[in-house]
Amino acid sequence: MAQDNGSNIAVVASAQNAAEAAYLTENDAAMTKMMDGMSVKPSGDVDRDFVAMMTPHHQGAIDMAVAALKYGKNEQLRRIAQEIIVEQQQEIIAMKLAIGDPLPPPTSAPTQTAPSGTMQGMAPGMKM
């Protein structure tokens, strides 16, 4: 039994609206977390205060870029989002090192997941 074109269009529109809603929810959460994190009590050390405010700002950019990668379709914007993730992570590390903080523990990229039972970077069939 063939479906009419109108119902196909409605299904596609519904999926697009659901993706847009999910993107907006994730983006709003990232913005709220960023704005809350940037509200720091002054410590008396301008350099530390700067890093304390810029770290959540950069993390917010990372979180928003991850959401864009999950839901966006434009390949040029997806590449830009990937660059934002890498550059903002590097800047967070550079700022923390500049004030003498230790390096954060290594983590996988926010858009990568390791298969269960394997280490990141190992071939999927290899076990630990």
Side-chain angles (χ1 to χ4, degrees):
M1 180 145 117
Q3 290 184 340
D4 69 56
N5 195 32
S7 65
N8 287 339
I9 292 171
V11 169
V12 170
S14 177
Q16 289 173 337
N17 289 341
E20 177 75 2
Y23 166 75
L24 292 172
T25 297
E26 288 185 33
N27 196 63
D28 185 57
M31 292 285 289
T32 300
K33 180 179 171 186
M34 177 184 72
M35 296 305 288
D36 291 346
M38 289 173 45
S39 298
V40 299
K41 183 178 178 185
S43 69
D45 182 334
V46 171
D47 296 326
R48 286 198 169 276
D49 292 347
F50 174 74
V51 173
M53 288 184 273
M54 289 305 292
T55 298
H57 181 268
H58 281 46
Q59 186 60 52
I62 292 167
D63 295 343
M64 287 182 265
V66 168
L69 286 173
K70 282 175 68 175
Y71 301 104
K73 305 291 185 232
N74 182 302
E75 285 304 317
Q76 185 177 4
L77 292 176
R78 291 175 56 79
R79 282 191 296 278
I80 292 169
Q82 290 169 332
E83 291 172 10
I84 288 169
I85 292 167
V86 171
E87 291 167 1
Q88 297 295 293
Q89 287 174 329
Q90 291 172 342
E91 288 183 10
I92 289 169
I93 291 169
M95 287 187 292
K96 289 185 176 287
L97 287 173
I99 60 171
D101 281 358
L103 283 174
T107 59
S108 61
T111 56
Q112 294 178 330
T113 56
S116 179
T118 64
M119 288 178 41
Q120 189 71 26
M122 288 179 66
M126 297 177 69
K127 297 286 182 188
M128 295 189 303

